[in-house]
Amino acid sequence: MKLGKLLITVIITIGLSSSLYGTTKASSKVRHESVKDANDKCVTCHLKENRSLVDHYENSSHADADVGCFTCHSAAKDDILGYEHEGAFIKTIQTPNDCKFCHTREVQETSLSHHATAGEIMASLDNMLADVIASFPDTKADAVNGCWQCHGSILKLALDKNGDKIFNEAGAPKMDFMTWPNSGIGRINMDGSKGSCNACHTRHDFSASRSRQPENCGKCHLGPDHPQKEVYEESKHGIAYYAAPKGNVPGGMNIHKKGKWVLGKDYHAAPTCATCHMGSYKKSNGSVVKGTHNVGDRLSWTLRPIVSVKLNRATFEDGTVQDIPSAYGEKPPRAGKMAMYKEYVRKGDKLVKKLTKKKIKSVLTWKQRRNNMKSICKSCHSASHVDGFYKQFDLLVTTYNDKFAKPGLKLVKSLKKDGLWKKSGFQQHDIGYIWFEIWHHEGRRARHGAAMQAPDYTHWHGMYEVSRHFYNKLLPAVIKLAKDGNMEKKYKDLISELLNKPEHVWYKTGGNPNNADFFKQMEEENKARYGAKN
């Protein structure tokens, strides 16, 4: 066993039982004798206590490069999390600021992505549901164990009644247990950085191979409101992946390859989540397009909000970036124009929203972002196939938007304006939950299903649920709320106007308005197929 290969994992359990933090300019010199000596000292003790940690690390690329414990866990003398341990000044928690000593480009790209801002969920109904409705006020247990484990917590120190740090038996500062352990991808760190590389590159081998496998994304991207993992499994892409051998064999995924993993060079069988959203790929001319750690580089729609919009990325003159939406017919923002930049800045143990007007330097339009995705699609599909897919996908999104989301949102806004809808609406009969689940659960499932070619999620888990609850739950709930507020006539008129539109007229006719014989034909077909009793 190579001693150098043991080094990174060992110190990781000091103080807290997780890994994460601390690289200095001196400790990054991995072949300097003082760094080697410090690493050797770590191994002497921790090999006895944390053998599985050491074994995990031993086969990592970090070990191959002689990157050891002290290299990553060394702390600056003024670090708030630093502490003296066996002659070394270290800290336990690692942030992107530490990883960027070696992985500069990857950290920079991630810092500009929506992954890095995933922890900024305070002003959302999602967070309120967990933080308030499903938890006790003083513990927030649902948010701590649920939302924050994916989105990320705001890391805080544990303090005594005088506001002083508390230390454990190893001399390490204790963390507030409500905020740590946490590997949420948008975690707000003590040094002000956002994110956790450990969210995808799990300790202590920090494997690129594991991070590119669909199961890795499934920790967060699954469930009733964002079932990308399940959608992928149903899709032709997912079927091809799970049917393919995983090794470096003909037709295999070569998924365990260390280092770069290039579509068209290292594998051909199927794409994973990482392939389409982040991966490198070989073009027809033989050149290789670099991958990206900004998972939004290739996304043209946002499927998250009530009404989906196209996204343009504005880069400001100071290097900061922000997505600026384009609704139907709107032109993308232009370079040289001023735009409002929103950011959340850590102040103490809280995030504070800061708005600044900035000049746009350049714009990556939604069409350019789509072309980024189309380019990798064309590694396996013809241009006409790719174009046809996007037309189908766009049609589903605009159908959801225009037939259900916009009319529903218009009714909700009207109820709020008239003072009938109070706050979240969750406490008013079922109307708050009905509307929330239409767009947040069912509408997202439909849009994600279409985006990733999963027909069952598009229809039965998606648009079927959207339409059923829109007509049979939301509209009656609107009338009930209006009646309770003595405004029944106004809302009956609004809903009647809505249902008179061509796309909703079926609700009054009870069937297909363009085919009066539909039900007769259906009965005849059932009889012919299943017999007279059907």
Side-chain angles (χ1 to χ4, degrees):
M1 180 184 295
K2 242 176 41 172
L3 189 61
K5 287 187 177 183
L6 306 176
L7 306 178
I8 198 171
T9 51
V10 181
I11 216 169
I12 289 170
T13 55
I14 297 176
L16 302 170
S17 62
S18 257
S19 76
L20 291 160
Y21 230 86
T23 304
T24 64
K25 188 174 181 180
S27 72
S28 65
K29 298 176 180 178
V30 297
R31 292 180 176 83
H32 194 280
E33 287 303 316
S34 64
V35 176
K36 288 183 178 180
D37 289 344
N39 285 327
D40 290 349
K41 191 173 182 180
C42 299
V43 171
T44 301
C45 292
H46 287 279
L47 183 58
K48 300 173 184 176
E49 298 182 16
N50 312 110
R51 181 55 189 260
S52 293
L53 266 176
V54 172
D55 289 344
H56 197 197
Y57 163 75
E58 192 173 22
N59 294 312
S60 73
S61 295
H62 279 170
D64 292 340
D66 294 324
V67 175
C69 317
F70 184 69
T71 301
C72 292
H73 292 276
S74 171
K77 288 297 181 182
D78 61 351
D79 195 295
I80 193 172
L81 294 182
Y83 65 103
E84 195 74 31
H85 182 75
E86 301 294 339
F89 197 72
I90 62 168
K91 55 185 174 181
T92 307
I93 304 173
Q94 193 175 25
T95 79
N97 280 343
D98 305 306
C99 301
K100 75 179 182 183
F101 270 89
C102 299
H103 304 285
T104 307
R105 180 179 69 87
E106 291 85 352
V107 170
Q108 174 66 13
E109 289 171 348
T110 302
S111 71
L112 300 177
S113 74
H114 283 290
H115 273 167
T117 60
E120 300 170 4
I121 58 172
M122 299 74 61
S124 70
L125 287 176
D126 311 51
N127 192 58
M128 193 195 83
L129 281 162
D131 196 52
V132 178
I133 295 176
S135 295
F136 284 111
D138 56 340
T139 62
K140 306 182 189 304
D142 188 29
V144 170
N145 291 277
C147 307
W148 297 357
Q149 295 302 324
C150 282
H151 287 270
S153 62
I154 302 175
L155 291 184
K156 300 176 185 178
L157 286 165
L159 303 174
D160 63 20
K161 62 182 179 180
N162 297 317
D164 297 324
K165 288 192 286 186
I166 302 171
F167 299 88
N168 66 15
E169 63 277 6
K174 282 188 175 183
M175 302 301 294
D176 181 343
F177 75 90
M178 288 175 65
T179 71
W180 178 265
N182 185 279
S183 61
I185 203 161
R187 192 183 65 205
I188 314 298
N189 300 301
M190 298 292 295
D191 60 8
S193 65
K194 298 175 182 179
S196 169
C197 303
N198 181 43
C200 299
H201 299 281
T202 306
R203 62 183 178 91
H204 286 103
D205 61 0
F206 306 101
S207 166
S209 168
R210 186 185 299 107
S211 69
R212 65 175 68 117
Q213 297 180 48
E215 291 83 357
N216 193 57
C217 307
K219 175 194 171 188
C220 300
H221 291 277
L222 82 172
D225 59 333
H226 38 49
Q228 291 95 334
K229 172 68 162 50
E230 296 100 318
V231 164
Y232 172 79
E233 290 171 353
E234 185 192 343
S235 73
K236 297 291 284 185
H237 289 160
I239 293 167
Y241 170 77
Y242 288 109
K246 300 303 176 283
N248 185 17
V249 296
M253 291 298 300
N254 199 9
I255 198 76
H256 302 296
K257 181 179 181 291
K258 286 188 176 182
K260 294 179 180 179
W261 188 62
V262 181
L263 177 65
K265 180 182 177 183
D266 298 312
Y267 68 105
H268 312 80
T272 67
C273 315
T275 302
C276 298
H277 294 286
M278 304 173 71
S280 300
Y281 59 96
K282 186 177 179 181
K283 299 181 76 173
S284 57
N285 63 8
S287 64
V288 173
V289 176
K290 283 185 177 181
T292 175
H293 273 61
N294 188 334
V295 291
D297 278 350
R298 301 167 185 173
L299 297 179
S300 47
W301 281 106
T302 172
L303 307 179
R304 184 176 182 272
I306 297 172
V307 178
S308 283
V309 292
K310 304 280 182 55
L311 292 179
N312 309 286
R313 179 181 298 151
T315 300
F316 297 100
E317 290 186 335
D318 63 357
T320 55
V321 302
Q322 183 160 287
D323 281 339
I324 299 178
S326 284
Y328 303 147
E330 288 184 359
K331 292 183 178 179
R334 289 182 295 169
K337 296 291 184 180
M338 301 297 290
M340 193 63 72
Y341 174 72
K342 181 188 76 174
E343 62 181 328
Y344 285 89
V345 180
R346 180 167 186 150
K347 287 192 176 181
D349 287 339
K350 296 185 180 297
L351 284 185
V352 178
K353 184 166 71 172
K354 182 180 177 183
L355 298 174
T356 312
K357 217 166 189 180
K358 297 184 178 184
K359 183 178 283 188
I360 298 173
K361 180 181 179 181
S362 62
V363 176
L364 184 69
T365 69
W366 71 265
K367 288 184 179 179
Q368 291 170 318
R369 293 169 84 160
R370 176 167 291 191
N371 285 335
N372 288 341
M373 183 67 87
K374 281 185 172 183
S375 184
I376 193 167
C377 296
K378 290 172 184 175
S379 295
C380 300
H381 304 288
S382 68
S384 61
H385 184 105
V386 175
D387 289 343
F389 158 74
Y390 268 105
K391 287 177 181 177
Q392 292 177 349
F393 171 40
D394 288 347
L395 187 61
L396 187 284
V397 176
T398 55
T399 297
Y400 159 80
N401 275 353
D402 295 344
K403 187 168 184 178
F404 300 107
K406 288 181 179 179
L409 184 59
K410 184 178 178 180
L411 286 169
V412 170
K413 285 183 175 181
S414 182
L415 289 168
K416 290 180 178 180
K417 186 178 179 181
D418 286 336
L420 302 176
W421 184 296
K422 309 293 185 182
K423 304 294 184 179
S424 67
F426 292 135
Q427 78 286 8
Q428 293 179 280
H429 310 295
D430 283 337
I431 194 166
Y433 286 102
I434 292 167
W435 173 236
F436 183 75
E437 291 181 6
I438 283 174
W439 70 265
H440 187 273
H441 285 38
E442 298 141 13
R444 283 185 183 174
R445 292 198 295 261
R447 289 172 281 176
H448 288 141
M452 296 166 60
Q453 304 168 57
D456 195 62
Y457 274 89
T458 302
H459 177 61
W460 289 118
H461 294 296
M463 293 300 284
Y464 167 76
E465 298 282 7
V466 168
S467 58
R468 181 167 73 100
H469 293 147
F470 182 86
Y471 293 115
N472 292 337
K473 287 190 175 183
L474 180 65
L475 298 187
V478 168
I479 296 297
K480 177 172 175 35
L481 199 60
K483 184 178 180 180
D484 292 344
N486 297 316
M487 298 189 73
E488 184 177 10
K489 183 179 185 308
K490 174 181 176 178
Y491 284 88
K492 279 189 172 181
D493 290 344
L494 286 174
I495 290 173
S496 179
E497 180 184 353
L498 172 67
L499 295 179
N500 279 329
K501 293 183 177 181
E503 63 269 29
H504 296 290
V505 75
W506 77 269
Y507 191 74
K508 292 188 173 183
T509 64
N512 187 345
N514 299 316
N515 184 357
D517 295 327
F518 172 75
F519 288 104
K520 182 179 179 181
Q521 293 169 358
M522 184 179 71
E523 290 172 4
E524 291 174 350
E525 179 67 20
N526 282 343
K527 188 180 294 185
R529 184 178 296 182
Y530 305 116
K533 291 184 179 181
N534 288 285

